[in-house]
Amino acid sequence: MYNPMSYMFYISLAFLLSCSHGSDDSIILNEPKEIIPVNLTLDIEVVGKNTNYPNGDGSGKIVCKASASHAVKYGFKIGSQTEAESSNGVFQYTFTSEGINEYQIAVFAYSSTGHSISSFQNVTVFVSNGELELVWSDEFNTDGVPDTSKWGYDIGNGCPNLCGWGNGEKQYYTSRSDNVKVENGLLKITAKKENYQGFSYTSARLLTKDKFEFTYGKVEVKAKLPIGQGTWPAIWMLGANIDEVGWPACGEIDIMEHWGHNPTYISSATHTPACSGGCENTKVGETTLSDYHSEFHVYGLEWTEDELYFTIDGEIKYTYKPTTKNSSTWPYNAPQFIILNVAMGGNWFTIDENYIESTMEIDYIKVYQ
């Protein structure tokens, strides 16, 4: 028999069941969706980096700091190495390969749902070859002639074997005090215009050959350069085996060269059987220095088993690191000696006819190993 009350009961029950089913759908629809991190940034600090040390202080240390919205953790990866996890986005690492090398740093930002985004950045880092000790130096503290236990001389113009030292130089090298002396804590090498031994200019060339020779190390020379068109001062090195194998098989390292006719230009270079100076795939170091003659600067070299890097006031200006190392490209695995000189003229430039004299002053020279 039809019962209105019973009918209303079933209608109400059906309505409640319908509402209950709708509520379940709402719960399913409101479950958490994928969370994707956004706005990922990566800042890399090379420890000790400054104007003088653009690639760090030699410790090889870097500090990476990453941040991203919706990230709960981070991962850092150096090249092909295993990823390292960080909960706060900070990652520290120390490189150990000596010299200047470029690395790729990858960072990954992860969300609570395991989704991630990534970013990549290259960084160049300098690693020193460790603590160095002073093994040889001259600070020129005694007035008079240079210390004969440390320095010898090239005399003449290179004749008859190699007149003009192979470069068309016009000076005659002497050991006279007019051309070389120690005074007021400075070594002074003076190139003068004068008639001497049939030449129109005199100067001096000092060398440590047979007195001090070394393989690998760090050289620092604090110097003020001469001024005048025609001057050619140099702080450089030659292989001690030059008498046996000749040049350039012995290897030449030019820590600093300057030409008076191009006054603000400072050069660093290498000379090997494969390449003399600036050749294909070998770029000569070039630096502009306007106060070369009025202020002292420290010209330096760091010489390792793998590379040469040239510095001015501690800042690396040029690196020589051939991919293939053999006797032709890398004669720098044997002792070398140091040379200091001021030449006059050359095959490719002239001397100012009004030139009288100019001096290269050296405060100190130090070798570390």
Side-chain angles (χ1 to χ4, degrees):
M1 185 176 77
Y2 173 73
N3 185 333
M5 295 299 295
S6 176
Y7 175 78
M8 292 301 297
F9 169 76
Y10 287 113
I11 292 296
S12 299
L13 179 61
F15 176 77
L16 289 173
L17 291 172
S18 174
C19 289
S20 174
H21 180 72
S23 177
D24 288 343
D25 285 345
S26 177
I27 291 172
I28 293 172
L29 292 173
N30 289 333
E31 285 183 350
K33 297 181 179 180
E34 295 180 351
I35 298 176
I36 309 296
V38 294
N39 302 323
L40 175 59
T41 62
L42 173 62
D43 177 68
I44 302 177
E45 174 194 354
V46 181
V47 174
K49 179 178 180 178
N50 55 37
T51 302
N52 290 331
Y53 298 94
N55 301 307
D57 59 9
S59 66
K61 296 180 180 179
I62 64 169
V63 179
C64 302
K65 296 180 181 179
S67 66
S69 301
H70 311 312
V72 296
K73 66 177 182 179
Y74 301 85
F76 293 88
K77 193 173 182 181
I78 310 291
S80 60
Q81 294 184 19
T82 303
E83 184 178 327
E85 184 176 314
S86 169
S87 60
N88 61 359
V90 177
F91 172 68
Q92 299 184 34
Y93 189 84
T94 301
F95 295 98
T96 58
S97 295
E98 293 180 4
I100 302 174
N101 295 286
E102 184 177 69
Y103 303 92
Q104 184 181 77
I105 313 297
V107 60
F108 304 87
Y110 296 94
S111 71
S112 59
T113 58
H115 297 86
S116 66
I117 59 173
S118 61
S119 180
F120 300 85
Q121 188 171 320
N122 291 336
V123 62
T124 302
V125 182
F126 165 58
V127 177
S128 174
N129 57 358
E131 293 295 327
L132 299 176
E133 294 184 1
L134 183 67
V135 296
W136 186 91
S137 67
D138 197 339
E139 300 190 33
F140 308 108
N141 290 326
T142 303
D143 286 0
V145 299
D147 188 339
T148 55
S149 70
K150 297 179 178 181
W151 300 100
Y153 302 89
D154 273 327
I155 302 296
N157 188 256
C159 296
N161 296 325
L162 200 63
C163 290
W165 304 99
N167 302 306
E169 300 169 24
K170 304 298 187 286
Q171 79 291 327
Y172 188 96
Y173 286 134
T174 84
S175 58
R176 303 177 306 157
S177 60
D178 284 353
N179 297 115
V180 56
K181 61 184 175 182
V182 177
E183 185 177 56
N184 298 324
L186 299 172
L187 172 67
K188 298 182 179 182
I189 299 176
T190 301
K192 303 178 63 173
K193 183 176 183 179
E194 62 173 329
N195 294 320
Y196 188 85
Q197 299 291 336
F199 292 84
S200 299
Y201 302 90
T202 60
S203 186
R205 182 154 101 171
L206 282 71
L207 60 163
T208 64
K209 190 176 190 306
D210 300 326
K211 298 176 184 291
F212 175 70
E213 300 161 1
F214 67 103
T215 307
Y216 310 133
K218 178 179 180 180
V219 183
E220 291 183 335
V221 183
K222 186 176 181 180
K224 185 190 296 183
L225 306 183
I227 189 171
Q229 180 178 318
T231 58
W232 182 5
I235 300 168
W236 53 302
M237 297 164 57
L238 280 175
N241 61 350
I242 186 171
D243 294 335
E244 290 77 40
V245 303
W247 183 95
C250 65
E252 176 181 330
I253 303 173
D254 297 329
I255 300 173
M256 185 288 305
E257 280 189 281
H258 177 264
W259 294 271
H261 68 280
N262 193 5
T264 61
Y265 174 88
I266 305 292
S267 172
S268 300
T270 54
H271 298 265
T272 70
C275 177
S276 184
C279 307
E280 185 179 0
N281 300 323
T282 301
K283 182 180 182 298
V284 173
E286 302 174 0
T287 303
T288 299
L289 206 61
S290 60
D291 60 353
Y292 66 93
H293 65 288
S294 60
E295 299 294 334
F296 282 94
H297 293 277
V298 178
Y299 301 95
L301 165 75
E302 291 204 32
W303 173 19
T304 73
E305 295 180 10
D306 297 315
E307 62 192 316
L308 303 168
Y309 23 140
F310 301 80
T311 64
I312 297 180
D313 297 328
E315 182 177 350
I316 296 173
K317 298 295 184 180
Y318 169 55
T319 301
Y320 177 66
K321 187 178 182 180
T323 303
T324 301
K325 288 185 173 63
N326 51 43
S327 60
S328 181
T329 63
W330 188 258
Y332 306 118
N333 53 6
Q336 294 230 339
F337 59 90
I338 299 167
I339 306 172
L340 308 172
N341 71 285
V342 180
M344 290 297 299
N347 292 327
W348 65 98
F349 61 93
T350 59
I351 303 170
D352 180 1
E353 62 181 14
N354 296 315
Y355 177 88
I356 298 176
E357 69 175 55
S358 190
T359 300
M360 175 166 70
E361 298 180 343
I362 296 179
D363 185 20
Y364 62 74
I365 178 167
K366 300 178 180 181
V367 179
Y368 302 83
Q369 286 185 312

